[in-house]
Amino acid sequence: MNVFSDLVERLRTLLHRDREDRELDEELRFHVEMDAAQYRRAGASDTDAHRSSILALGGVERVKEEVRDARGTRLLADCLSDFSYAVRALRRNPGFAAVGILTLAVGIGGTTAVFSAVDAVLLKPLPYQEPGQLVRLYESYGKHFPEDGRGFVTPVYFLEYRSRVSSFAATAAILTYNESGADIGSGADVQRIRLLAVSADYFDVIRVHPATGRAFNRDEETGAHVVILSHALWQRQFRGDPAVIGRALTMSGVPHTVAGVMPDGFTDPIAGVVDAWVPADLTPGKDPGETSDHYISVVARLRPQIPIVRAQAELDVLDAMLTKQYSVTAGAKRSRLFPLKEDIVGGSSRALEIMLGAVVLVLVLVCVNMASLLLVRGTERAREFALRSALGAERRRLVRQMLIESLTLAIAGDVAGLIVARVAMSAIVTLGSGSIPRLATLTLNPRLLLFSLAIASLSAIAFGLSPALRAARTEPSDVLRENSRSATGGVAQLRLRDWLVVSQVALAFVLLVGAGLLIASFERLRSIDLGVKPGEAFVFEIHLPTARYDSTKRAQFFETFATQLATLGGVRATGAVSRLPATGAYHQWWVTALSGPLANTKDSGNDAEQRIVSGNYFMAAGIPLLEGRLFDAYDDASAPDRVLVSKSFAKRFFPGVPAVGQRLHTGDDRRPASEVIGVVGDVAIDAEGKPDIYVYHAHAQYAADRNWALTQLVRVNGSIDRAESDARRVLRALDPELVMFKPMTLADAIGRGEAQRVFTLRLLVSFALVALAVAALGLFGVLSYGVRLRAREFGIRMALGAEAGAIQWMVLRRGIAVAAMGTALGLVGTLALSRMMATMVFHVSPLDPVVLIEATVFMMVVAGIASYLPARRATIVDVREALQ
């Protein structure tokens, strides 16, 4: 009653003020006319009388201006009063305010964060001059390379491309076959930095040159000891000294002359964050025409106005010439060009597209939820609007007050949305680090933020104003009638609110099914036998500097290190390998069977994965020995070449006969034939369990081939953290200048290949849970308000003898019916989106019946819980209070 008394008093004050304004205007005009008449009676001319009238009217206008100023002041005061009233109204209903603000925050924050990620990765052009001219070049040789034809390039062919392709303004080589680095510092300050070896024209291709100093020249494409520093390393190592050019930086024991420093904020388009660049070694080997050693990446810049199809046509002609010139017999050679941005983004586009679709669904869900909540709240306040209108309140004042209340709710939701956006962006960068390219450049996009603010705020304002506008068009007597049906908004509004909740449930169901499919896919991946045992093991890399370790010292170091690690408490086995299983292809060499059924036949050769191992690697990795023996101390540099092969390799090269004792040739023709001394279990080439054939070499026999960067694998009983600490202590004792690089569990190392799928899974599950919560809140809110508005009806029913269970069933039945309709509609939406999900799942159908049934049951359980609370509340209504 106090609220309505206050409203009545304010309305009377406004009416009184309007009446005063009209009386003041009439009185001033009366005095003007009287003054003009007096001038005429005194003999003044009509001109003087008219001038007098004008002067008087000028006074009237000044007075009216003062009145208008007073009215503007009153309008501002009224708006401030309405704002205060809106705050009080929201405080009186904290549940509605909290749900509304939280819903807006989720919609605005989540949409802005994901839209910004999509913009940073997919939409925003590369931050270099004329980025559309940048292309990536790959080679393919039929079955020897992946099906999409993106293979590495040989140095011989790169030099041909650089000198003979006229469509390229500049061409550069980048050594990305494996990540390279160097150790700098000494003692406790030693650290490993990331290096990228590039050819001299690399900085001309990307059109970013050192801010200080110079780039490389072609005379230095021999692995010259010069280096270009990143701005961060320059600051960290030389404290930003401008006189750094020409000074020496010792990397892995070798002094390198600083040639230049890159600009602040520069990020390498190929490798991302790089600490320093060194010249690539393009020196021809013993065979200058060697065309089988593929390890170079090629990036080029097209000449202006040259389309990529024209450059591709020129490459096709050159490929045919090079195939004849170098007598390529391993299949038809083909070079392929791809836009650099498309190549960098790669397969991450589909993951981001799914995230974008999910967040759009969440945004629509938020808007629908706000619509249903505000419509129900407006229906509840219909009697209030009618009563205020009957007491003389102007309709425009009611509309203005509701507009301010909706704006207040929208502003609070916007502020909370900014906080959610910041948190969500940090989470996206953390989760997607290493799996989504260019994600490190993610920033809050103001255009997308304004779009999200506008969509969510307009939704709140539009649906918040609709009850007041409807009340302004409705006769108060129609609403003030004591009729339950009109008090709840009528059948049409009940159906509208039900359909809004139906749409919420449908949208939430689509996201729930998507999350369920990814979870099922992830479980299938985890159940695949990769051939190794990832549990209770950790890995790390050790890089031995060539300046201090020759081939003999390298072999001795790894054997000594493995022996000392094996003596630590809790360590079961330790060994090392050149590339961990299930982490992708690495060294593929042509292998030829020199004995057995396939010897001297067309099927005697094939590509096979090659791995260099040390210590008790197979026991540490959990790979079983099936035939023969493992490497031992006698398999050193002085012994004949001996190898181990995988089970699938033995079946492929030596069908029907024992593999042990057979002879084969691997890799370099200058190496002698190798004898198979054992067969071990198969391991997967990637985290999806794709099989491949393997050949294993003892590091003691292959240490002179190159300085292999071996990954150490330690299997423990007990705490991995303690074993890692003990391993650091052993490493410092052997050589304090070495770095334990990238320590992690074996499970994490293998799982990095599926990081993008895990990233998508986590975000989609998060969105599904948010959508489910929003849908449940929407259903709960609509049913709760419905129970509140029908309290009188329920009171009458119970007074007439209705059972409490019957009343509860009425409410539950409506909630479950609405949820069932939404689920059915969601099934249709899931069917429409099944093709998109097919690319992100593994060994799971996009319409997997188990997932659909589980999602349906889960949705109905949540709907039942959301409906039960209002249903229970309907039966605890005080009958006497409800009937008053």
Side-chain angles (χ1 to χ4, degrees):
M1 294 302 293
N2 291 335
V3 175
F4 290 113
S5 299
D6 181 52
L7 290 173
V8 170
E9 185 63 29
R10 290 188 182 184
L11 289 172
R12 287 176 179 171
T13 301
L14 286 174
L15 292 173
H16 182 64
R17 288 176 180 173
D18 290 339
R19 186 166 58 254
E20 286 180 346
D21 292 340
R22 289 193 298 270
E23 291 175 353
L24 175 62
D25 188 62
E26 292 174 359
E27 183 177 355
L28 288 172
R29 290 186 179 278
F30 172 75
H31 284 294
V32 169
E33 293 173 0
M34 290 297 293
D35 290 343
Q38 288 179 4
Y39 269 90
R40 291 191 185 94
R41 285 196 296 271
S45 64
D46 289 341
T47 302
D48 292 336
H50 184 62
R51 183 181 297 111
S52 174
S53 299
I54 292 175
L55 292 172
L57 284 174
V60 172
E61 293 303 323
R62 284 196 301 272
V63 173
K64 290 182 66 178
E65 185 65 29
E66 293 176 1
V67 171
R68 282 195 292 269
D69 290 342
R71 287 179 176 176
T73 303
R74 288 199 302 272
L75 177 61
L76 178 60
D78 289 342
C79 288
L80 292 175
S81 176
D82 291 340
F83 174 74
S84 177
Y85 176 78
V87 173
R88 293 197 305 271
L90 293 175
R91 288 178 60 185
R92 284 195 301 269
N93 200 334
F96 166 78
V99 172
I101 293 173
L102 181 61
T103 301
L104 287 173
V106 169
I108 295 170
T111 302
T112 302
V114 175
F115 275 7
S116 297
V118 173
D119 180 61
V121 176
L122 297 182
L123 305 181
K124 189 182 296 182
L126 295 175
Y128 310 102
Q129 294 184 31
E130 302 296 335
Q133 297 176 356
L134 295 172
V135 294
R136 191 79 175 267
L137 188 151
Y138 291 98
E139 287 184 349
S140 62
Y141 286 82
K143 64 181 180 179
H144 298 166
F145 285 96
E147 295 179 0
D148 62 357
R150 302 196 182 195
F152 288 96
V153 179
T154 66
V156 171
Y157 287 140
F158 162 71
L159 295 175
E160 296 283 1
Y161 299 143
R162 187 167 69 176
S163 62
R164 299 174 67 172
V165 180
S166 61
S167 297
F168 294 159
T171 311
I174 318 102
L175 273 60
T176 59
Y177 188 74
N178 62 336
E179 182 179 317
S180 60
D183 298 337
I184 62 174
S186 60
D189 296 329
V190 65
Q191 58 177 306
R192 188 161 186 84
I193 62 173
R194 187 179 184 189
L195 300 179
L196 183 65
V198 299
S199 64
D201 300 324
Y202 180 66
F203 300 102
D204 291 331
V205 170
I206 62 177
R207 290 185 181 173
V208 179
H209 294 85
T212 303
R214 64 173 179 85
F216 305 130
N217 56 60
R218 294 193 179 182
D219 292 336
E220 295 170 331
E221 292 179 340
T222 57
H225 296 158
V226 293
V227 61
I228 295 176
L229 308 178
S230 68
H231 187 273
L233 182 61
W234 174 54
Q235 292 286 343
R236 188 168 67 244
Q237 197 68 21
F238 295 97
R239 299 182 179 179
D241 185 359
V244 70
I245 306 302
R247 293 174 60 179
L249 174 65
T250 301
M251 301 190 303
S252 296
V254 179
H256 285 66
T257 302
V258 177
V261 178
M262 294 302 292
D264 186 15
F266 170 72
T267 301
D268 192 275
I270 305 299
V273 179
V274 176
D275 295 304
W277 293 259
V278 294
D281 189 353
L282 302 178
T283 306
K286 293 183 179 180
D287 183 2
E290 174 62 51
T291 61
S292 61
D293 198 3
H294 302 78
Y295 62 91
I296 288 178
S297 294
V298 177
V299 63
R301 177 176 288 275
L302 299 174
R303 294 187 183 276
Q305 309 303 320
I306 298 293
I308 193 171
V309 291
R310 177 176 169 181
Q312 182 65 65
E314 185 179 358
L315 278 174
D316 292 341
V317 175
L318 181 60
D319 282 339
M321 297 172 58
L322 295 177
T323 299
K324 295 180 179 179
Q325 178 179 342
Y326 291 99
S327 302
V328 178
T329 59
K333 174 186 177 301
R334 176 95 194 277
S335 301
R336 300 185 62 189
L337 291 177
F338 298 89
L340 182 59
K341 180 182 175 183
E342 173 190 321
D343 181 70
I344 291 174
V345 173
S348 63
S349 60
R350 180 46 58 93
L352 289 173
E353 288 169 1
I354 291 178
M355 290 300 98
L356 183 61
V359 80
V360 167
L361 290 180
V362 171
L363 182 61
V364 174
L365 183 61
V366 165
C367 293
V368 172
N369 183 270
M370 289 302 301
S372 61
L373 287 176
L374 290 170
L375 285 177
V376 171
R377 177 170 168 79
T379 302
E380 181 188 24
R381 300 182 65 183
R383 290 176 56 81
E384 173 195 338
F385 296 147
L387 182 58
R388 292 170 62 182
S389 179
L391 292 174
E394 291 185 349
R395 292 179 177 180
R396 63 181 180 181
R397 180 63 187 275
L398 293 177
V399 173
R400 186 178 70 197
Q401 194 172 72
M402 287 304 300
L403 175 62
I404 291 176
E405 183 174 325
S406 298
L407 280 174
T408 303
L409 183 65
I411 290 172
D414 293 345
V415 173
L418 287 174
I419 299 174
V420 172
R422 286 292 184 185
V423 174
M425 288 171 60
S426 300
I428 289 175
V429 172
T430 301
L431 293 176
S433 177
S435 62
I436 303 295
R438 304 182 69 197
L439 198 59
T441 64
L442 174 61
T443 57
L444 189 64
N445 190 309
R447 294 178 290 108
L448 298 175
L449 176 62
L450 290 176
F451 172 78
S452 300
L453 292 176
I455 292 295
S457 301
L458 287 176
S459 174
I461 292 170
F463 289 101
L465 277 178
S466 60
L469 294 173
R470 187 172 61 251
R473 298 191 302 266
T474 306
E475 290 297 327
S477 58
D478 294 338
V479 183
L480 291 174
R481 294 172 185 167
E482 291 295 331
N483 183 283
S484 176
R485 183 174 299 276
S486 65
T488 58
V491 175
Q493 289 192 43
L494 286 173
R495 289 179 177 175
L496 175 60
R497 292 198 297 268
D498 285 348
W499 277 110
L500 288 174
V501 177
V502 166
S503 62
Q504 292 182 60
V505 173
L507 294 173
F509 183 81
V510 171
L511 289 175
L512 190 62
V513 170
L517 289 173
L518 286 182
I519 292 174
S521 177
F522 190 64
E523 291 298 323
R524 298 284 175 88
L525 279 173
R526 293 181 60 185
S527 65
I528 291 176
D529 183 10
L530 301 177
V532 295
K533 299 177 181 179
E536 298 180 336
F538 71 98
V539 298
F540 56 92
E541 297 177 18
I542 295 181
H543 299 265
L544 302 179
T546 305
R548 295 193 291 116
Y549 287 87
D550 59 17
S551 60
T552 303
K553 290 182 179 180
R554 288 196 293 268
Q556 290 176 349
F557 173 86
F558 284 118
E559 291 299 328
T560 302
F561 185 62
T563 302
Q564 293 193 15
L565 282 183
T567 62
L568 296 176
V571 173
R572 292 168 53 189
T574 181
V577 65
S578 56
R579 180 84 170 195
L580 290 170
T583 57
Y586 188 45
H587 281 113
Q588 285 189 340
W589 299 345
W590 188 257
V591 179
T592 304
L594 302 180
S595 63
L598 301 183
N600 301 318
T601 68
K602 64 178 182 178
D603 296 325
S604 62
N606 198 10
D607 272 334
E609 290 287 328
Q610 312 290 319
R611 296 294 183 265
I612 311 301
V613 299
S614 175
N616 198 355
Y617 164 72
F618 295 99
M619 181 177 179
I623 302 173
L625 174 66
L626 304 179
E627 298 179 31
R629 67 175 180 86
L630 299 175
F631 295 125
D632 58 27
Y634 296 100
D635 299 315
D636 56 15
S638 62
D641 276 15
R642 295 161 182 158
V643 296
L644 298 169
V645 299
S646 64
K647 178 181 177 181
S648 295
F649 183 97
K651 289 183 177 180
R652 162 67 180 82
F653 282 85
F654 309 112
V657 298
V660 175
Q662 303 292 342
R663 297 171 59 251
L664 51 84
H665 184 267
T666 63
D668 195 341
D669 292 336
R670 294 169 301 211
R671 293 192 66 88
S674 301
E675 178 189 357
V676 178
I677 62 171
V679 178
V680 296
D682 286 332
V683 296
I685 192 68
D686 56 29
E688 292 188 355
K690 182 180 178 181
D692 211 329
I693 54 179
Y694 284 81
V695 178
Y696 298 92
H697 307 267
H699 179 262
Q701 291 191 329
Y702 249 82
D705 179 77
R706 68 192 71 178
N707 188 354
W708 297 91
L710 299 184
T711 299
Q712 308 295 311
L713 195 158
V714 183
R715 185 163 297 279
V716 301
N717 286 325
S719 172
I720 289 180
D721 292 338
R722 179 179 177 182
E724 180 183 327
S725 178
D726 291 341
R728 288 182 186 274
R729 177 173 49 81
V730 171
L731 182 62
R732 284 196 300 268
L734 286 176
D735 189 338
E737 302 295 319
L738 296 179
V739 177
M740 179 184 284
F741 191 52
K742 292 184 178 179
M744 67 184 74
T745 66
L746 178 59
D748 287 342
I750 293 176
R752 292 172 71 185
E754 291 302 309
Q756 191 177 110
R757 184 179 272 114
V758 174
F759 167 77
T760 308
L761 168 65
R762 290 174 176 173
L763 282 187
L764 193 57
V765 168
S766 299
F767 282 127
L769 293 177
V770 169
L772 191 64
V774 171
L777 284 174
L779 182 61
F780 171 79
V782 168
L783 293 178
S784 295
Y785 276 108
V787 168
R788 184 174 176 181
L789 296 176
R790 297 177 65 186
R792 184 169 181 271
E793 173 194 343
F794 292 147
I796 293 174
R797 289 178 179 272
M798 294 181 67
L800 295 176
E803 296 288 340
I807 300 296
Q808 289 183 359
W809 175 241
M810 287 177 59
V811 180
L812 276 172
R813 182 175 56 191
R814 178 166 171 250
I816 293 175
V818 169
M821 294 175 64
T823 301
L825 190 61
L827 284 171
V828 177
T830 301
L831 180 63
L833 298 175
S834 59
R835 286 189 178 182
M836 178 180 289
M837 288 302 302
T839 61
M840 290 300 298
V841 296
F842 176 77
H843 289 183
V844 177
S845 169
L847 298 176
D848 185 79
V850 176
V851 174
L852 293 178
I853 292 173
E854 290 177 346
T856 301
V857 172
F858 190 62
M859 178 62 72
M860 296 309 296
V861 169
V862 172
I865 295 173
S867 303
Y868 172 75
L869 297 177
R872 186 173 180 276
R873 181 181 175 185
T875 61
I876 59 176
V877 174
D878 190 310
V879 177
R880 289 175 298 179
E881 181 179 344
L883 292 177
Q884 290 178 352

